[in-house]
Each structure stands twice: as C-alpha cells, then as structure tokens.
Amino acid sequence: MAGSRHDTAAPRPTSRDVARAAGVSQATVSLVLGGKWQGRVAEPTAERVRAAARDLGYRPNLAARNLRLGRTRTALLVVPALTNEFFARVHTGAARVAARHGFGVVLYPAPDVTAPARDPFDSARASLDGVLASSMASEALAAIRGDELPLVMLDSDPAHSLGAATVNLDIAQGMRLAAEHLLALGHRDVLHLAADISSWTFDVRRDALRSALHGTGARLTTARAALAVDAARTAAEAALTASGARPTAVICDDDVLAAGACKAARRLGLHVPDDLSVTGFDDLTLATAVEPELTTVALPAERFGEQGMDTLIAVLDGRTPEPRPLPVRLVVRGSTAQGPGPRR
Amino acid sequence: MAGSRHDTAAPRPTSRDVARAAGVSQATVSLVLGGKWQGRVAEPTAERVRAAARDLGYRPNLAARNLRLGRTRTALLVVPALTNEFFARVHTGAARVAARHGFGVVLYPAPDVTAPARDPFDSARASLDGVLASSMASEALAAIRGDELPLVMLDSDPAHSLGAATVNLDIAQGMRLAAEHLLALGHRDVLHLAADISSWTFDVRRDALRSALHGTGARLTTARAALAVDAARTAAEAALTASGARPTAVICDDDVLAAGACKAARRLGLHVPDDLSVTGFDDLTLATAVEPELTTVALPAERFGEQGMDTLIAVLDGRTPEPRPLPVRLVVRGSTAQGPGPRR
DNA sequence: CCCGCGAAGTTATACGTACAACGTGAGGCG
DNA sequence: CGCCTCACGTTGTACGTATAACTTCGCGGG
C-alpha cells in the first residue's frame, strides 16, 4: 500500500544464512571471512563459503562484531569548527589514514562541547576506540573525559595533555619565517593580528615572534580579533590608526584575518603591499583568491591529520611513536614588499 | 612499567554491575535507564538504580544496544568534499538536527566513492540507519546501493533519485535572481561561468538562466571550470578574450569561481564592477573577503542540512514530508554595477 | 474465605559475531 | 596393529542490552 521499495523488508542475511547456503557451520564462515582460515579450512570449502556470501550479498553486522570484539575501529575527531577549511583538511587526512586501517571517523565540532555541559561523547553514537582532539577545545575536552579513552592531541598545550600523545605543527617556526621575511624586507614596526582563541596558541605564536624580532630593533604590537573577516578588519583598523608610529607590516594568525587586514588597509587608503605588508597563515583557498595574493605560511594540514591518526592507531596498538613537529613553509606572494628599510 | 594511565584497564561497568550495586536485576536497570519504568518500577527503587549508575559512571554499551535494537541511530552524510565551505555548513546543520534526535552523523567524502570501486559503506564502520546524499556524487551512490538503505537526496536529479525523498534548494530561483539583477543594471551580454560538476546541476542552472534572459534580447554564453580559483581565472580569461562581443557581466556557479573571474578581469585590465560585473553563489566567507565584496546568492546551507536530516528521520519514522524548496536570496554587494544599459 | 488483579520486579532469551575448545577420520610410525 | 598427529571442521559460549513472559505478594470484593 505504501508503495515504498522497503516493503519487503528483506532481513539482511547473517553469517548463519551464509553457512546454511554453503553447507558448513557458522563458525567456519566466520573463520573464512575473517581471513584466519589458513590451515583451518580447506581451500574448496573456503571458496564455497565466499561464493555463498557473494550470492547472498552478505555484509557482517558491525554492531555484533563490535560487541564481540569489544572495539569499534572508530575514532572521534574533535575540531573547533568544520567550516574552517584548515580543519576540514585535517579531517580529510585523518579519514584517509583511518580508512587505510579499517577505521572510521566520527566528527565532533567542539563549540558546543563546553557550553551545554552535555557529554560530548553522547553525540558520537558509535562506541569509540580513541579520540583525536584538536587544540583549541582540548582543554575543556581533556578536563571532561581525558583519561577514559586513548587520546591524541593535535597541536595542543603540553601542560593540558598530560600523558597523551601529541602531534604538532611547527607553528613557532611558521611565525619565525614570517617575521624573518618581513625583517629582510626592511620592516621594523610589526603588528601581530592574533586570532582570539586558546591562550596557549596565542602564547606560542607571540613568543615566537618576540624571539624572532629580539635584538633587531624592531617593534612588536599586538591586536586580537575573532576568526572572521569583519572582526579582523575592525581590529586592524583600530590598531593601524592608534597613536604612535604606524606599523608597516601585519603578521596574521590566519588567512582570514589577513584578508580582514587587507580590507582595513584599503579603507585607510593604504596600498598593500606598497604601504603595508600583510602575511597570513594556513594557506587556505582564500589566500590566492584575494588581491593581492597573500604571502602566507603553508601548513601541511592533511599530513597533520594523517599523522594524528597514525599516532592514534599506534597508541591503540600499544606503541608510542616519537613526536616530531611537522615542517611548515613560507609561501611568498604579493601581499608583502620592501618596507622603509634600515635606511632610516 | 609502561607507565601509561591505561594500565589498570578498568573494564567499563555494565548494566549488570549497576544492578548488583543497586540490589536489583539487570532488567530493572534497563527499564529505569531506558525510561520505560512508568508503573513498572517503584520510584525509590528507580532512584536507587540511577544513583548506582551515577556512582559507577555507567555508560551503556552502544554496540550491544545497537545489536539488540537492530538500529544504530547513525546516519551517513555523503558530500563531494568537506573542504568546500558550503558542505561543511550542510554538515553542521545536519549534525545539529541529528543530535537533537539522538542521532549521530558519519561523513563520507564522495570523491573516492566511485574511483576505487570499493564499497563506500565499508568506510562507515558503524552500521547505518539511513543515508543523506548530497547531489554531486549521488548518481554513483544511488547506482551502487540505492535501495538498500533509506535514502534522502540533497538537491539531486529527480531522474536519479527514484523513490527517494528529496530536499532542494531553489537553485533555479537563485540563478534567476542573479540574472534579473544584472538585467536591471542594463547588462545584455552575460557569461555563465559554470562549475564543472554533475551535468544535472549544470543543466538546471543553465536552463534557469536561459529562461530568465529569454525575450530580453540578452546574449548568454557559457564557460566551465573546475571548482578552484585558478581554474576559474583561466577559464574566465579565455572566455572574456574570445572573439565576439565581450560580456559585461559574469554569473558564477560558486563564490570561488567568482573570485577567479575577478582575478581574470584584473589581469585583463578590467575593473570590477565598473567594466565587468561579477556575481557569485553560496555566500561563503570568501564573498566578503575579496575586494570588491561579491554580489552573490546566499543559500541557507545549514537549514539545508537541517531539513535534510529532518526528512531522513521522518522517513525512518515512516512519514513522508512534503518536499518544499528552501528559499534563497540575492545579496547585493560591490561586484556588480550599472552596465552599458539599454541606451545602445 | 478465596479468587483475581495490579504493582513491582525477576527470569529467560535473542540480537550476530568471533573464537576457544572440542570432535573425527585418515594416515604415519614404532 | 594400536596410538599419535594432523588436517578440517563443529559445538558451544560470551559480548551487553532490551523486552516478552513469568513470578510473587498484598489487598479488596464477591
């Protein structure tokens, strides 16, 4: 009557159905399809089982398998926001490695993690084998259930990841590269436009900048903004019109912020890069979409996700891989140019 | 020796442990915690059970529950690429609704869906209750396992979604709005820069443009490009320098393409919007990051995801909600301006 | 006075799988 | 010739949960 194609509701065949069709016991089916039949089942029998499984369109019931094995081959990936292209790329890498090992990935966008005081793992309907937690929400996460599941932290504060394996991008090196690039161009008054996120991330970046500029006579000022174009434009506009010498270069924590800085410059009648150099971070699609194209620090986001998942799987296997920060590189494009230089 | 905090390997408490602690049977625990204890269990007993569960930190084993109930409260979301901000937003909406109904969402990025001839569902380690498939890869997906799971199609070709419920954005209306906007500005020679994706999507958009321009004396040409800034720039540059009258406006299938078109204009010495009007689609972060800000068609991406998941859940409940296309709206910004007009 | 009935639990079972432990012939060897 | 071994399976059980079917007991009505 309903006319749907789900009328028949043909129940999915089980391993027992396959066994019946192949004329063997259910255990034999499990052995053959589980790949552990070496020397336990004769080849002709094994082939008969495989054929029966194929004919019936048999697919093992994951819930039953998970229950039996006590693990799910599923990992949770916690990110601040998937709409941030960087994290989408991290997910891509993590999911690729996971698939290679027969693992699935469930996503948890962190913003809600702390707010509703709900258990973050409730939303992950699958039971989980482990957690891959990206920095920004990891403090909250670690506090909530840090030691209940194997955990790998992505780029997080060592102070908050006690005992958990960590995978890092060399963020500090990225900031240094940007700073040195601007120094080489003759800039001596630099604004750091920072993303308004976790304090640890902020500290790492600012400290790296400070040490890079130390002893060069360059001046460093700081402004913070939420991770959005408008917020960045507003903050940059304020910082660039503040009393005192106007910075000739802006180092941004993110390409999105850099885009905002460029808009601020335009509003103030400054030309990028001639009047103001701007550097971004992440090398998102955005970086080459704007005019001029952004000089930015390219992060191996997918490799980051891959290595994170590799590490998690290693931890699950009882191994402990040595943490080695992933290298970053500076991509020089059109948003940076010669500054006032040392001629002053 | 290993020194890890997983040494003790304390096995998670089961409902039986809770039962023992509360001095009741396992069945009673299940009744109380399952919420079906009305009139079956006295309040003091129920409270004792809840207290015991809390003390032990009991969490039900999802694998066992899934096995018992035969459903998983997990849906698969198939998207072409998560790095596309639009789909990240769709996911956000879908996940929100899913969470509200106690559902989880597993993601499947489609690109690989057809290539390796692997079963796409293998990568979803959880068993699934249903599938939410976004347009672009849905043909392949539907072909592979269309009728094995309840399916809801997002913005897909009706011809390929036989029997499956569908949720649509009013893409055609979006194209009409853009076309009418340009017509009103006096443009009579329009280039359609199309995304090189599914042919159905392309047809819908082109047909909408054609009908909107029909009878206005306006000329429509078409170029296609992969969904990337560089590809779009190249294609636009070629189309704008082709023989014949140069278009005075470009309607793009996506903001990313629009950014590429703007870059092409700049290379050709054309000013946007004075010499060339450009419209985008989707209203991504990108749209306000570039200069000038893009006039674009804003899509309710999150609502789209929400409605998709709502529909899937309705289908799982045996209901059949009427499909109603989600409205889109034109956001006029700085990338469009008066064209040559009817003065000619 | 006894029967029935509702309240408050309990016992038993099934979901589908993986694997430990147990047959069971046939052939080799002392 | 009897026993051991090996190749090839099979039988049985447990994973943790939800729920149908059953028990037990107190109490009110006929």
Side-chain angles (χ1 to χ4, degrees), chain A residues 15-16 27 30 58 65 68:
Chain A
S15 60
R16 219 173 307 266
S30 184
Y58 169 72
R65 190 206 296 266
R68 176 66 232 252

Side-chain angles (χ1 to χ4, degrees), chain A residues 135-136 139 157 160 195-207 224:
Chain A
S135 60
M136 301 166 188
E139 295 122 2
D157 186 351
H160 286 276
D196 197 6
I197 36 178
S198 83
S199 67
W200 173 74
T201 304
F202 173 71
D203 291 345
V204 166
R205 293 178 184 247
R206 195 202 38 201
D207 292 350
R224 300 188 73 159

Side-chain angles (χ1 to χ4, degrees), chain A residues 276-291:
Chain A
L276 186 73
S277 285
V278 175
T279 69
F281 217 93
D282 285 5
D283 197 18
L284 308 177
T285 298
L286 194 59
T288 57
V290 300
E291 180 68 28

Side-chain angles (χ1 to χ4, degrees), chain B residues 168-216:
Chain B
N168 285 314
L169 287 170
D170 205 340
I171 297 293
Q173 170 69 1
M175 292 310 267
R176 275 193 297 272
L177 288 175
E180 284 160 10
H181 171 63
L182 292 174
L183 282 174
L185 288 174
H187 293 277
R188 289 295 177 272
D189 200 331
V190 175
L191 170 65
H192 175 203
L193 184 53
D196 198 7
I197 37 177
S198 83
S199 67
W200 173 75
T201 304
F202 174 71
D203 292 345
V204 166
R205 293 178 184 248
R206 194 203 38 202
D207 291 351
L209 278 186
R210 276 192 185 153
S211 77
L213 297 181
H214 184 73
T216 66

Side-chain angles (χ1 to χ4, degrees), chain A residues 155-195:
Chain A
D155 231 352
S156 85
D157 186 351
H160 286 276
S161 63
L162 296 168
T166 301
V167 175
N168 285 314
L169 288 170
D170 205 339
I171 298 292
Q173 170 69 359
M175 291 309 267
R176 276 193 296 273
L177 289 174
E180 285 160 10
H181 171 62
L182 292 174
L183 281 175
L185 288 173
H187 294 276
R188 291 294 176 270
D189 199 333
V190 176
L191 170 65
H192 176 202
L193 185 54

Side-chain angles (χ1 to χ4, degrees), chain B residues 289-314:
Chain B
V290 299
E291 179 70 27
E293 296 187 351
L294 295 176
T295 293
T296 190
V297 176
L299 306 181
E302 294 203 13
R303 278 257 303 282
F304 188 45
E306 289 177 357
Q307 185 152 336
M309 188 56 71
D310 268 333
T311 302
L312 179 56
I313 288 173

